Amino acid sequence: MNPQPHSVDTSEHLLRIVEMAPQVRRRYQFFLWSQGDLQRWLPHKLLVCGAYDRQARDLVFDVFNSVPLTEAAQAALQGHRAQVLTAAMRLWRQHRQQPCLLPLQEVALTDVAAQALCQAGYHHLLVHGLSRPGRPDDIESFFLFGLPGGQYGHEALQGIDMLLPCLHMTYQRVHVTEQQMSPQHRGGLGGSTPSLTPLAQRTPQITEREREILSWVRDGLSNQQIGEKLGISALTVKNHIQKILRKLGAANRAQAVAKAMTLHSLGAVQSMPDPSQD
């Protein structure tokens, strides 16, 4: 799968991306936003976002993926000292802060995350960021897009460059909002714990079976397909999904996946063997 060149028709996607962006304030909303017209403008299965954190005085990274990653790779991509991230920032600076492509094979020899991405079919990552005005070494936000089996080209480099201002403002808003909603931030206001508890504390735990089903939902499988993989009926899968929706307070399957990812409830679920391959 290769991203298509941008045309007059696809430019409408960029307009809708910008129009929807002001409504995005929470992490799960950002994920849903990235799976809509943004996916049509710049196809991807992996999006790593970094934002400068004033308290940490460093970039803080988050991972949005619609295909499973190993736990080690997920953790590495969320660590600001991961070699694949530092290599991406170094390459971006070498390209004078212009969008560029990071070949993963060059990093995979010594980096766990790059090795896992290569094994998953990623060849390179599309990289771009934004620095503070007049201070090119101080990165405010940084983004990496990945598409397994796909090849980003000149159109993708143009596409992320056009998208960057909107992407930067949207993720910065999400980052600040999530910080303000965190227990540490709210517990520090007035020195007492507010009566409104965070979503992660209000939501019942997702069972291992529900986590498995959510991972297949994330991969786009139907109830029938999930049932075949897990050895249960499609009706049982439907009942499980309805229970998951109630637990997460989600209106549909996509929102359930997004909320579960926000709560880190999906973790790094590994795909179960397909019985048809036995």
Side-chain angles (χ1 to χ4, degrees), residues 3-276:
Q4 297 298 313
H6 295 118
S7 64
V8 174
D9 291 336
T10 57
S11 294
E12 295 180 2
H13 297 312
L14 182 59
L15 178 60
R16 287 196 290 267
I17 291 168
V18 175
E19 288 177 340
M20 294 296 294
Q23 304 176 34
V24 178
R25 297 184 177 277
R26 299 300 307 275
R27 188 179 186 274
Y28 77 90
Q29 293 172 336
F30 184 86
F31 175 75
L32 291 175
W33 179 69
S34 73
Q35 297 304 299
D37 285 289
L38 176 53
Q39 193 68 236
R40 300 176 183 91
W41 177 258
L42 191 57
H44 64 279
K45 295 296 182 182
L46 172 71
L47 172 55
V48 182
C49 302
Y52 184 79
D53 188 293
R54 264 55 182 180
Q55 295 179 343
R57 296 184 179 181
D58 208 340
L59 283 172
V60 176
F61 286 90
D62 201 358
V63 180
F64 300 86
N65 56 301
S66 55
V67 295
L69 288 176
T70 65
E71 185 175 352
Q74 185 99 9
L77 287 170
Q78 289 177 317
H80 67 287
R81 298 304 178 194
Q83 291 184 37
V84 67
L85 299 178
T86 56
M89 288 184 280
R90 182 171 59 251
L91 181 67
W92 178 70
R93 289 188 176 107
Q94 290 172 355
H95 281 75
R96 299 185 178 182
Q97 302 177 335
Q98 295 300 308
C100 54
L101 299 175
L102 174 69
L104 287 170
Q105 289 289 352
E106 296 181 6
V107 192
L109 294 176
T110 55
D111 185 68
V112 172
Q115 291 169 5
L117 291 174
C118 286
Q119 292 172 0
Y122 292 87
H123 304 299
H124 54 230
L125 297 178
L126 178 61
V127 174
H128 205 3
L130 193 68
S131 293
R132 299 178 66 181
R135 303 178 67 175
D137 290 333
D138 294 343
I139 301 176
E140 283 287 324
S141 60
F142 201 72
F143 305 97
L144 301 93
F145 286 79
L147 185 67
Q151 295 286 340
Y152 287 123
H154 181 67
E155 294 81 11
L157 294 171
Q158 287 184 321
I160 193 174
D161 201 33
M162 295 174 66
L163 183 67
L164 182 63
C166 179
L167 192 60
H168 164 76
M169 293 183 64
T170 305
Y171 187 68
Q172 286 287 337
R173 186 189 311 115
V174 170
H175 178 72
V176 170
T177 302
E178 291 291 345
Q179 273 193 325
Q180 293 173 344
M181 297 292 290
S182 69
Q184 295 88 345
H185 181 89
R186 295 199 289 182
L189 298 177
S192 60
T193 303
S195 58
L196 179 62
T197 56
L199 179 61
Q201 295 180 11
R202 299 199 309 265
T203 304
Q205 287 292 316
I206 300 298
T207 67
E208 190 60 35
R209 173 48 58 91
E210 290 168 347
R211 211 185 328 270
E212 292 172 348
I213 290 173
L214 269 174
S215 72
W216 291 119
V217 170
R218 176 180 59 185
D219 293 345
L221 274 66
S222 67
N223 290 354
Q224 182 65 39
Q225 290 171 319
I226 295 172
E228 290 173 357
K229 289 183 176 294
L230 298 179
I232 58 180
S233 70
L235 179 59
T236 301
V237 174
K238 181 179 179 180
N239 291 337
H240 276 299
I241 291 177
Q242 290 299 320
K243 187 175 180 180
I244 293 169
L245 294 180
R246 289 195 297 271
K247 279 188 174 184
L248 296 176
N252 51 51
R253 295 158 68 105
Q255 193 176 91
V257 170
K259 286 194 172 186
M261 291 181 68
T262 299
L263 299 170
H264 302 287
S265 295
L266 280 181
V269 178
Q270 299 300 309
S271 301
M272 296 180 65
D274 188 337
S276 64

